[in-house]
Amino acid sequence: MPLEQLSSQKCFAGWLQRFRHRSAALHGDTVFALYLPPQAERGEKLPVLYWLSGLTCTDENFMQKAGAQRLAAELGLILVAPDTSPRGPDVPGDPDGAWDFGLGAGFYLDATEAPWSRHYRMHEFVVDELPALVETHFPASDRRGISGHSMGGHGALVCALRNPGRYRSVSAFAPVANPMHCPWGEKAFSRYIGADRARWREWDASVLIGQAQETLPILVDQGDRDAFLVEQLKPAVLDAAARAANYPLTLRIQPGYDHSYYFITSFIDDHLRHHAAALCG
Ligand SMILES: N[C@@H](CCC(=O)N[C@@H](CSC=O)C(=O)NCC(=O)O)C(=O)O
């Protein structure tokens, strides 16, 4: 699978790069960003933290705003950020042009309903295709962690919960914790997966956490001034489901913080260290 390099910039003695390639899962071209820490030049295989961004984002938001590269360089962690949906002239978006569905809003699931099912296969892409690509073309090991924000925070939880053995660490910022019972999730699931709500349960972290096959400790940070907290995010539902299942979830409510990348950059070091404890050494 050839990679076309779009950019390369030195950053904290490592390299921040962007690549375009043809995706089999997404039936089209897609772009991802990757940060290679300086340890990559030693030739050893390094662990990888996959980051899933939220609604309206591309591969660039996290790399430009989270400020993760400094500590990733210190810890020897590769960072990989895919796009948030398939894109291209033949990829359908929201019929009304809304920002919370379709382009930039793939919800990291595999759609089953037309016209979404041909391209909207972000789960398969993130869990299988992207790691295979990264581990072939870069000095990347199969020690994988996954994290993300909002729609992507939920995506990270679902990727880990649905695929035991695939990841060694997981965390999330302000995840859409119970999408089958919030407006963003109901809109996405009803279109991507269809009207049968029983099938939505396969893609909801607050359901999956009660059926987990392995117990990777989950770290979640959530700001209490987040404008989406009550209507869309509902972390208390995830917390209650984890408690009922005796699943190790640490939910930290951070006073005064909102939903922005200012919140993410304030706590990204804690998340990188959470992942490094499982991935490095
Ligand atoms: N455009 C919207 C706001 C969209 C928004 O807040 N997106 C978040 C993720 S929300 C959940 O998935 C985000 O990360 N935005 C990009 C950024 O760089 O901040 C509106 O107008 O309200």
Side-chain angles (χ1 to χ4, degrees):
M1 218 179 307
L3 291 180
E4 177 192 356
Q5 188 173 102
L6 302 177
S7 64
S8 182
Q9 273 132 350
K10 197 161 188 181
C11 180
F12 292 106
W15 291 93
L16 176 60
Q17 303 179 325
R18 296 180 74 220
F19 297 92
R20 178 164 40 223
H21 66 98
R22 183 84 188 165
S23 162
L26 305 178
H27 285 104
D29 287 355
T30 190
V31 173
F32 68 90
L34 175 141
Y35 177 67
L36 273 180
Q39 294 85 343
E41 289 180 9
R42 296 208 292 254
E44 63 192 274
K45 291 198 175 226
L46 302 173
V48 184
L49 177 62
Y50 292 87
W51 173 270
L52 306 182
S53 286
L55 295 165
T56 71
C57 292
T58 68
D59 61 290
E60 293 194 281
N61 298 66
F62 173 73
M63 294 297 186
Q64 291 177 352
K65 293 184 173 181
Q69 291 91 344
R70 183 193 55 77
L71 187 55
E74 193 179 302
L75 296 170
L77 266 180
I78 296 175
L79 306 174
V80 174
D83 203 347
T84 51
S85 76
R87 300 195 195 254
D90 58 340
V91 177
D94 186 275
D96 305 315
W99 57 266
D100 58 0
F101 178 79
L103 303 177
F107 262 86
Y108 304 102
L109 50 72
D110 292 337
T112 55
E113 305 303 295
W116 320 108
S117 52
R118 177 167 169 77
H119 297 284
Y120 284 83
R121 299 193 61 82
M122 289 299 292
H123 184 79
E124 179 187 341
F125 176 71
V126 166
V127 171
D128 296 321
E129 187 174 0
L130 183 60
L133 196 70
V134 168
E135 289 162 28
T136 300
H137 291 273
F138 302 94
S141 77
D142 61 2
R143 284 174 283 144
R144 307 177 197 99
I146 191 158
S147 185
H149 173 226
S150 198
M151 171 185 74
H154 180 259
L157 299 177
V158 168
C159 286
L161 290 166
R162 282 178 63 110
N163 297 280
R166 193 88 183 126
Y167 301 97
R168 297 191 188 189
S169 57
V170 59
S171 74
F173 287 84
V176 183
N178 185 208
M180 30 183 317
H181 296 296
C182 79
W184 285 341
E186 288 172 10
K187 182 175 181 179
F189 285 15
S190 61
R191 293 177 179 182
Y192 292 139
I193 310 170
D196 180 2
R197 284 177 170 256
R199 291 178 43 221
W200 297 10
R201 295 172 57 80
E202 298 164 26
W203 296 100
D204 188 308
S206 290
V207 175
L208 295 172
I209 205 165
Q211 307 162 358
Q213 306 279 307
E214 72 176 352
T215 49
L216 293 180
I218 297 175
L219 172 63
V220 172
D221 272 311
Q222 172 65 60
D224 75 354
R225 294 283 179 90
D226 186 323
F228 299 121
L229 176 58
V230 175
E231 191 184 12
Q232 305 283 5
L233 305 179
K234 304 178 190 284
V237 178
L238 181 70
D239 196 37
R243 285 173 195 276
N246 204 23
Y247 191 102
L249 166 72
T250 302
L251 170 61
R252 307 192 307 187
I253 302 297
Q254 303 290 4
Y257 288 89
D258 65 12
H259 199 63
S260 70
Y261 267 84
Y262 296 111
F263 161 57
I264 295 172
T265 198
S266 300
F267 298 101
I268 192 67
D269 283 6
D270 290 356
H271 285 244
L272 294 181
R273 292 193 194 284
H274 167 81
H275 289 276
L279 298 173
C280 300

